[in-house]
Amino acid sequence: MPVRVLVLSADFGAGHQAAAQAIAAACRSLSADCDAVVVQCHSPLLGLIRRAYLWQIRHTPDLYRRLYRLPPARPLRWLVIRVLGRPVRRALDAHTPDVVVGTHPFPAGAALHLLKRRGRRAVPVAMALTDFAPHGFWIWPGVARYFAASPEAARELIRRGADPAAVRSTGIPVRPALAEASRAPSEGVRRVLVIGGGLGLGPIADAVAALLRLPHPDLRVTVICGRNESLLARIRRHHGGDPRLCALGFTVDVPGHMRTADLLVTKPGGITCAEALALGLPMLLLDPLPGPEEENAAYLAGTGAARIVGAGHVAEAAEELLFRHPEQLEAMAAAALRAGSPRSALTIAAEVLALAGAAR
């Protein structure tokens, strides 16, 4: 009978789903006798929470920053269970897993609650964190494993109350193929990759416009706008005549574009930046949003792999690294490789399969 692995994600940004797919793929690659399934949990109330989050970070960022830093109270945890209880219950009933992994704390927390209430055989639940600094919502009683982004994040989890015996420093899960990949920048040109995440958030259009004002014919700018079709149309309308620009919508091959880039300009989302670290790609981090982006940016800048810049200064920073002081770019690339975890999903998968085997 195959080992059944259920990986739960939430409809709260593309990164959580990408991490879930990476773990499932790694589990299947390590065991031919593994049935690894990814379920993205949906709920009308979750959609409302998501829209409220987007409204807050755009219109009341200081308020959101203060709310984010508060420890999650018990009523908020009960709200999570209420919001996602039904879709998580359906997933548990449909797949009868030997182990559950969450790449978002909401469905994983709901799964913990439901599994305890059922009184069935114990099914371990693991949390694979998708940001470089852990939020308190990741910490639930009874978690079998926490997979943290770094040793610093592991220590912070323990400080916040996680069981030290359950915490592992693995890196954020990235696609298993990155374990064998390396960058191969194009010769004769300097290529900047600009990414706004799956939602295309942030001052992406301003950053692209600033980069294209640089007077370097050997500069190439590729921008990935995600599912933000209006952003893509705007960039093509204003800059489509510039042969140095390649403007794209949503793509699953972000690592392929990273492999040929010299520099990444991005919002500091956990998955995008973890993939960049795995490939040794230096980063300029644009105007971090309150909450996890600010914490991600602080960690990444501390590694030496990234610099935090505003959209108004991105061209100056890119020109310095690409054309004036390329030795600084090389130092950042080396720092990224040191901080990266290209085998993270495989390391997590090995632990997950061991948990499943112990629970059977």
Side-chain angles (χ1 to χ4, degrees):
M1 189 173 182
V3 175
R4 298 182 299 273
V5 179
L6 175 61
V7 190
L8 295 176
S9 178
D11 187 13
F12 222 96
H16 300 288
Q17 184 74 356
Q21 295 289 356
I23 293 170
C27 286
R28 290 189 289 265
S29 74
L30 292 181
S31 173
D33 191 32
C34 174
D35 180 16
V37 177
V38 174
V39 174
Q40 187 178 47
C41 298
H42 302 268
S43 160
L45 277 174
L46 184 64
L48 181 62
I49 292 171
R50 182 169 171 267
R51 290 192 294 275
Y53 159 74
L54 292 173
W55 188 92
Q56 275 194 308
I57 60 175
R58 284 171 174 152
H59 300 288
T60 59
D62 290 338
L63 174 61
Y64 178 77
R65 183 181 291 109
R66 289 196 293 271
L67 292 173
Y68 179 82
R69 291 173 178 170
L70 293 175
R74 181 170 294 181
L76 289 176
R77 294 186 185 274
W78 278 107
L79 176 62
V80 165
I81 294 166
R82 183 87 178 189
V83 166
L84 285 177
R86 185 172 296 177
V88 170
R89 186 182 293 109
R90 284 197 300 266
L92 293 172
D93 290 341
H95 301 289
T96 58
D98 297 304
V99 62
V100 175
V101 187
T103 60
H104 191 285
F106 289 4
L112 269 167
H113 175 77
L114 292 169
L115 288 167
K116 285 180 181 178
R117 290 184 59 189
R118 291 182 173 207
R120 303 189 312 188
R121 67 183 178 90
V123 176
V125 176
M127 300 276 196
L129 279 67
T130 51
D131 285 301
F132 292 96
H135 188 269
F137 247 125
W138 286 101
I139 301 170
W140 293 70
V143 173
R145 289 290 185 277
Y146 295 95
F147 301 118
S150 67
E152 294 88 344
R155 288 192 290 272
E156 179 62 14
L157 276 170
I158 295 168
R159 189 191 70 80
R160 287 173 173 256
D163 178 5
V167 177
R168 304 287 187 273
S169 174
T170 59
I172 292 173
V174 297
R175 312 164 206 233
L178 292 181
E180 308 298 331
S182 60
R183 281 197 305 130
S186 305
E187 293 186 10
V189 298
R190 301 300 262 170
R191 194 176 300 277
V192 180
L193 176 62
V194 184
I195 299 178
L199 298 175
L201 293 174
I204 303 304
D206 293 341
V208 169
L211 289 166
L212 291 175
R213 284 195 290 270
L214 291 174
H216 297 285
D218 52 346
L219 175 68
R220 299 293 182 270
V221 177
T222 299
V223 56
I224 298 176
C225 300
R227 292 188 172 89
N228 193 331
E229 295 180 3
S230 62
L231 173 64
L232 177 62
R234 177 184 170 190
I235 290 174
R236 286 178 172 172
R237 183 171 61 253
H238 289 290
H239 308 291
D242 194 321
R244 300 175 299 168
L245 174 69
C246 174
L248 305 171
F250 181 79
T251 175
V252 296
D253 190 28
V254 172
H257 293 282
M258 287 185 177
R259 288 187 68 248
T260 61
D262 296 287
L263 179 65
L264 174 64
V265 176
T266 185
K267 299 296 291 174
I271 300 299
T272 297
C273 294
E275 290 179 339
L277 292 179
L279 288 168
L281 178 59
M283 292 169 270
L284 294 178
L285 305 176
L286 283 174
D287 295 331
L289 296 171
E293 282 199 7
E294 287 181 335
E295 295 181 341
N296 287 343
Y299 170 79
L300 292 163
T303 68
R307 296 180 181 179
I308 303 170
V309 298
H313 299 282
V314 68
E316 177 185 351
E319 186 174 39
E320 178 183 6
L321 292 171
L322 293 171
F323 298 102
R324 295 179 182 171
H325 297 287
E327 73 281 359
Q328 295 181 12
L329 190 72
E330 292 175 8
M332 292 173 68
L337 284 174
R338 288 193 299 271
S341 301
R343 296 186 59 82
S344 53
L346 294 166
T347 303
I348 291 169
E351 290 257 0
V352 168
L353 293 173
L355 285 173
R360 299 184 83 176

